[in-house]
mmCIF file of all heavy atoms in Angstrom:
data_model
loop_
_atom_site.group_PDB
_atom_site.id
_atom_site.type_symbol
_atom_site.label_atom_id
_atom_site.label_comp_id
_atom_site.label_asym_id
_atom_site.label_seq_id
_atom_site.Cartn_x
_atom_site.Cartn_y
_atom_site.Cartn_z
ATOM 1 N N ASN N 311 93.125 200.382 95.135
ATOM 2 C CA ASN N 311 93.595 200.482 93.766
ATOM 3 C C ASN N 311 94.753 199.431 93.602
ATOM 4 O O ASN N 311 95.647 199.260 94.413
ATOM 5 C CB ASN N 311 94.323 201.882 93.604
ATOM 6 C CG ASN N 311 94.691 202.232 92.261
ATOM 7 O OD1 ASN N 311 95.087 201.330 91.452
ATOM 8 N ND2 ASN N 311 94.611 203.415 91.848
ATOM 9 N N THR N 312 94.537 198.684 92.578
ATOM 10 C CA THR N 312 95.491 197.596 92.376
ATOM 11 C C THR N 312 96.910 198.030 92.200
ATOM 12 O O THR N 312 97.959 197.172 92.511
ATOM 13 C CB THR N 312 95.121 196.787 91.215
ATOM 14 O OG1 THR N 312 95.046 197.510 90.010
ATOM 15 C CG2 THR N 312 93.894 195.971 91.376
ATOM 16 N N SER N 313 97.108 199.187 91.751
ATOM 17 C CA SER N 313 98.531 199.653 91.680
ATOM 18 C C SER N 313 99.233 199.806 92.967
ATOM 19 O O SER N 313 100.503 199.911 93.179
ATOM 20 C CB SER N 313 98.604 200.990 90.955
ATOM 21 O OG SER N 313 97.910 201.988 91.702
ATOM 22 N N GLU N 314 98.480 199.741 94.115
ATOM 23 C CA GLU N 314 99.074 199.774 95.404
ATOM 24 C C GLU N 314 99.411 198.396 95.989
ATOM 25 O O GLU N 314 100.041 198.293 97.047
ATOM 26 C CB GLU N 314 97.981 200.487 96.367
ATOM 27 C CG GLU N 314 97.680 201.886 96.105
ATOM 28 C CD GLU N 314 96.553 202.380 96.909
ATOM 29 O OE1 GLU N 314 96.096 201.837 97.783
ATOM 30 O OE2 GLU N 314 96.150 203.635 96.614
ATOM 31 N N VAL N 315 98.991 197.291 95.335
ATOM 32 C CA VAL N 315 99.297 195.995 95.859
ATOM 33 C C VAL N 315 100.635 195.759 95.396
ATOM 34 O O VAL N 315 101.084 195.686 94.215
ATOM 35 C CB VAL N 315 98.329 194.918 95.131
ATOM 36 C CG1 VAL N 315 98.753 193.548 95.628
ATOM 37 C CG2 VAL N 315 96.886 195.172 95.561
ATOM 38 N N LYS N 316 101.485 195.412 96.431
ATOM 39 C CA LYS N 316 102.955 195.116 96.345
ATOM 40 C C LYS N 316 103.203 193.683 96.309
ATOM 41 O O LYS N 316 103.025 192.975 97.357
ATOM 42 C CB LYS N 316 103.754 195.895 97.285
ATOM 43 C CG LYS N 316 103.666 197.403 97.133
ATOM 44 C CD LYS N 316 104.453 198.146 98.088
ATOM 45 C CE LYS N 316 104.261 199.626 97.974
ATOM 46 N NZ LYS N 316 105.104 200.400 99.003
ATOM 47 N N ILE N 317 103.895 192.968 95.312
ATOM 48 C CA ILE N 317 104.140 191.720 95.232
ATOM 49 C C ILE N 317 105.700 191.567 95.193
ATOM 50 O O ILE N 317 106.351 192.160 94.430
ATOM 51 C CB ILE N 317 103.519 191.046 93.933
ATOM 52 C CG1 ILE N 317 102.136 191.417 93.659
ATOM 53 C CG2 ILE N 317 103.816 189.561 94.039
ATOM 54 C CD1 ILE N 317 101.126 190.761 94.665
ATOM 55 N N LEU N 318 106.213 190.784 96.123
ATOM 56 C CA LEU N 318 107.595 190.486 96.338
ATOM 57 C C LEU N 318 107.960 189.009 95.855
ATOM 58 O O LEU N 318 107.491 188.100 96.561
ATOM 59 C CB LEU N 318 108.141 190.747 97.628
ATOM 60 C CG LEU N 318 109.618 190.450 98.013
ATOM 61 C CD1 LEU N 318 110.531 191.377 97.247
ATOM 62 C CD2 LEU N 318 109.888 190.543 99.536
ATOM 63 N N LEU N 319 108.576 188.883 94.839
ATOM 64 C CA LEU N 319 108.885 187.451 94.302
ATOM 65 C C LEU N 319 110.310 187.165 94.306
ATOM 66 O O LEU N 319 111.270 187.904 93.815
ATOM 67 C CB LEU N 319 108.469 187.362 92.771
ATOM 68 C CG LEU N 319 106.945 187.548 92.616
ATOM 69 C CD1 LEU N 319 106.698 187.492 91.001
ATOM 70 C CD2 LEU N 319 106.177 186.574 93.395
ATOM 71 N N LEU N 320 110.687 186.128 95.139
ATOM 72 C CA LEU N 320 112.058 185.766 95.316
ATOM 73 C C LEU N 320 112.477 184.476 94.644
ATOM 74 O O LEU N 320 111.596 183.694 94.150
ATOM 75 C CB LEU N 320 112.323 185.641 96.802
ATOM 76 C CG LEU N 320 111.984 186.723 97.710
ATOM 77 C CD1 LEU N 320 112.415 186.415 99.130
ATOM 78 C CD2 LEU N 320 112.685 188.123 97.203
ATOM 79 N N GLU N 321 113.773 184.117 94.499
ATOM 80 C CA GLU N 321 114.287 182.858 94.049
ATOM 81 C C GLU N 321 113.869 182.513 92.585
ATOM 82 O O GLU N 321 113.588 181.462 92.106
ATOM 83 C CB GLU N 321 113.712 181.615 94.878
ATOM 84 C CG GLU N 321 114.183 181.887 96.320
ATOM 85 C CD GLU N 321 113.712 180.678 97.188
ATOM 86 O OE1 GLU N 321 114.056 179.464 96.782
ATOM 87 O OE2 GLU N 321 112.951 180.764 98.077
ATOM 88 N N ASN N 322 113.854 183.643 91.727
ATOM 89 C CA ASN N 322 113.692 183.417 90.342
ATOM 90 C C ASN N 322 112.349 182.747 90.034
ATOM 91 O O ASN N 322 112.246 181.816 89.225
ATOM 92 C CB ASN N 322 114.769 182.596 89.694
ATOM 93 C CG ASN N 322 114.977 182.871 88.203
ATOM 94 O OD1 ASN N 322 114.645 183.912 87.723
ATOM 95 N ND2 ASN N 322 115.525 181.959 87.540
ATOM 96 N N VAL N 323 111.151 183.166 90.633
ATOM 97 C CA VAL N 323 109.869 182.671 90.341
ATOM 98 C C VAL N 323 109.509 182.781 88.811
ATOM 99 O O VAL N 323 110.040 183.828 88.219
ATOM 100 C CB VAL N 323 108.826 183.347 91.159
ATOM 101 C CG1 VAL N 323 107.475 183.154 90.655
ATOM 102 C CG2 VAL N 323 108.944 183.017 92.678
ATOM 103 N N ASN N 324 108.926 181.928 88.158
ATOM 104 C CA ASN N 324 108.696 181.830 86.765
ATOM 105 C C ASN N 324 108.017 183.022 86.268
ATOM 106 O O ASN N 324 107.232 183.677 86.933
ATOM 107 C CB ASN N 324 107.911 180.585 86.419
ATOM 108 C CG ASN N 324 107.887 180.310 85.015
ATOM 109 O OD1 ASN N 324 106.926 180.747 84.275
ATOM 110 N ND2 ASN N 324 108.922 179.560 84.392
ATOM 111 N N GLU N 325 108.402 183.386 85.038
ATOM 112 C CA GLU N 325 107.874 184.526 84.290
ATOM 113 C C GLU N 325 106.392 184.522 84.212
ATOM 114 O O GLU N 325 105.762 185.661 84.101
ATOM 115 C CB GLU N 325 108.445 184.681 82.932
ATOM 116 C CG GLU N 325 108.150 185.958 82.225
ATOM 117 C CD GLU N 325 108.744 187.161 82.825
ATOM 118 O OE1 GLU N 325 109.803 187.100 83.500
ATOM 119 O OE2 GLU N 325 108.116 188.217 82.734
ATOM 120 N N ALA N 326 105.739 183.296 84.122
ATOM 121 C CA ALA N 326 104.332 183.212 84.041
ATOM 122 C C ALA N 326 103.546 183.850 85.155
ATOM 123 O O ALA N 326 102.527 184.538 85.009
ATOM 124 C CB ALA N 326 103.857 181.744 83.894
ATOM 125 N N ALA N 327 104.180 183.777 86.396
ATOM 126 C CA ALA N 327 103.598 184.397 87.587
ATOM 127 C C ALA N 327 103.700 185.945 87.489
ATOM 128 O O ALA N 327 102.816 186.687 87.747
ATOM 129 C CB ALA N 327 104.195 183.932 88.786
ATOM 130 N N ILE N 328 104.924 186.441 87.072
ATOM 131 C CA ILE N 328 105.191 187.825 86.860
ATOM 132 C C ILE N 328 104.255 188.486 86.025
ATOM 133 O O ILE N 328 103.654 189.553 86.294
ATOM 134 C CB ILE N 328 106.641 188.032 86.589
ATOM 135 C CG1 ILE N 328 107.641 187.398 87.522
ATOM 136 C CG2 ILE N 328 106.884 189.578 86.326
ATOM 137 C CD1 ILE N 328 109.092 187.509 87.083
ATOM 138 N N THR N 329 104.025 187.838 84.741
ATOM 139 C CA THR N 329 103.141 188.320 83.884
ATOM 140 C C THR N 329 101.759 188.461 84.382
ATOM 141 O O THR N 329 100.939 189.422 84.247
ATOM 142 C CB THR N 329 103.172 187.463 82.559
ATOM 143 O OG1 THR N 329 104.524 187.398 82.117
ATOM 144 C CG2 THR N 329 102.181 187.976 81.493
ATOM 145 N N ALA N 330 101.249 187.331 85.150
ATOM 146 C CA ALA N 330 99.951 187.400 85.624
ATOM 147 C C ALA N 330 99.531 188.472 86.621
ATOM 148 O O ALA N 330 98.620 189.097 86.616
ATOM 149 C CB ALA N 330 99.537 186.033 86.229
#
Side-chain angles (χ1 to χ4, degrees):
N311 191 324
T312 54
S313 64
E314 297 174 1
V315 178
K316 296 181 179 179
I317 312 289
L318 176 64
L319 300 178
L320 309 180
E321 303 182 59
N322 204 25
V323 166
N324 190 266
E325 186 66 32
I328 299 171
T329 301

